Amino acid sequence: MEIVIPCTKCALATQVEGGGFGPDGVVLRSRTVLVQEHNLYRAACPEGHQLVAILDNLPFELLFESGLEALVDGYLRESVSSFAAALERLYEFSIRVQLTSEKIDLNDLEAMWKSVAAQSERQLGMYIGIRTFKDGKQPALLPQPLSKLRNSVIHKGYFPSSKEASDFGEAVFKLILDEVRRLDEGFKEAVGVQICTHREKALRLLNKDDEPYFFGFGLAVANREDRPFSDVVIKAQRSMRRRCEGEAPPA
Ligand SMILES: [Zn+2]
């Protein structure tokens, strides 16, 4: 999966005295790079400016987008695998947010996570437990047939049909959207703390003279609006087409 890093120096260079912009408006130069594990990106723009950019999008947002791109591109196994990973990282985000809201120290939280990090079943169990404790009832989960599909794809090399991959994506989309909206409504402050913690991971990788800036994209699940999954797929198709033609996506 690729992302486009905008160059703020090029944009500023087109600014004229008094704060407005020159006759050509803001020049948006950018550099396309592959998504990487760390959210700190270093690249050179086409004009040679050195870019040090921190990507604000959360791992589950990027993984879901990667699943969407694979779906519209016809890589259906990869699509199911990325959607499944997005859901797991959403569970992690939710656990971290809810424990933060209970004033668990961030270092203790980190130490606790180490004991579940390697096993997704442990994480799922913790998510179900915390949600049941908070809400008095167990949360909605991936339906059994879709959970089976995930296991077949990931562990048995199964090639899903287009409908299976799309149904899987739709179920994950709904689960993620419902959960991020619940977190935004009930745990706003802790969500903010976790977003800062995510930024700090990149800040720790900076060199002394770096001048970083933050950027983020309106990815499918970064947009909390309730809408049909078919609209999300159509938007992903359009955005991939635009990017192939060299246009930057909307910030
Ligand atoms: Zn530039």
Side-chain angles (χ1 to χ4, degrees):
M1 180 181 164
E2 292 175 334
I3 52 167
V4 177
I5 304 179
C7 179
T8 51
K9 285 177 186 157
C10 280
L12 284 174
T14 58
Q15 204 165 9
V16 295
E17 239 175 273
F21 291 94
D24 300 328
V26 185
V27 176
L28 275 181
R29 293 244 193 276
S30 57
R31 178 61 80 196
T32 302
V33 296
L34 290 171
V35 169
Q36 57 184 33
E37 182 59 27
H38 298 294
N39 49 340
L40 178 70
Y41 289 81
R42 293 177 189 279
C45 94
E47 300 295 327
H49 297 126
Q50 292 303 312
L51 310 177
V52 182
I54 294 174
L55 181 62
D56 263 344
N57 290 105
L58 295 164
F60 71 84
E61 296 173 347
L62 288 166
L63 284 162
F64 190 85
E65 207 67 17
S66 177
L68 258 185
E69 290 196 358
L71 180 69
V72 302
D73 232 7
Y75 292 94
L76 304 175
R77 277 180 49 75
E78 288 75 4
S79 166
V80 168
S81 160
S82 288
F83 285 141
L87 189 58
E88 285 178 6
R89 296 288 60 80
L90 180 268
Y91 290 155
E92 175 183 354
F93 182 69
S94 171
I95 291 165
R96 286 177 182 271
V97 164
Q98 292 178 86
L99 291 181
T100 301
S101 83
E102 292 292 337
K103 309 287 178 233
I104 305 288
D105 179 82
L106 289 176
N107 292 324
D108 291 335
L109 188 50
E110 215 51 58
M112 177 284 292
W113 191 257
K114 285 203 175 91
S115 63
V116 301
Q119 282 155 289
S120 60
E121 282 297 317
R122 286 187 177 183
Q123 298 163 22
L124 177 63
M126 189 185 300
Y127 175 75
I128 295 171
I130 292 176
R131 286 274 323 244
T132 307
F133 176 71
K134 290 276 186 189
D135 302 345
K137 57 175 194 275
Q138 69 156 339
L141 300 169
L142 206 57
Q144 194 57 31
L146 293 181
S147 176
K148 234 176 119 183
L149 173 70
R150 171 213 175 267
N151 291 340
S152 299
V153 167
I154 291 176
H155 301 302
K156 296 182 185 162
Y158 177 72
F159 281 96
S161 69
S162 173
K163 182 170 186 323
E164 283 173 321
S166 174
D167 287 352
F168 190 87
E170 182 167 19
V172 171
F173 176 67
K174 196 166 170 359
L175 285 171
I176 292 183
L177 217 56
D178 284 350
E179 181 59 359
V180 286
R181 288 165 70 166
R182 170 181 168 272
L183 295 174
D184 284 348
E185 274 166 31
F187 307 90
K188 205 171 185 315
E189 204 185 313
V191 167
V193 171
Q194 281 306 317
I195 288 172
C196 281
T197 306
H198 178 65
R199 280 186 163 192
E200 276 162 20
K201 280 183 196 152
L203 294 174
R204 280 200 291 272
L205 299 171
L206 289 176
N207 298 327
K208 208 170 103 259
D209 298 327
D210 284 339
E211 293 172 23
Y213 59 93
F214 296 93
F215 74 115
F217 299 112
L219 305 178
V221 289
N223 175 354
R224 313 302 204 221
E225 224 175 278
D226 202 4
R227 59 224 194 271
F229 184 63
S230 53
D231 287 5
V232 174
V233 174
I234 290 168
K235 198 173 170 218
Q237 277 164 341
R238 286 200 195 121
S239 137
M240 266 186 89
R241 207 174 307 139
R242 270 204 310 270
R243 210 176 50 229
C244 290
E245 288 160 7
E247 252 180 72

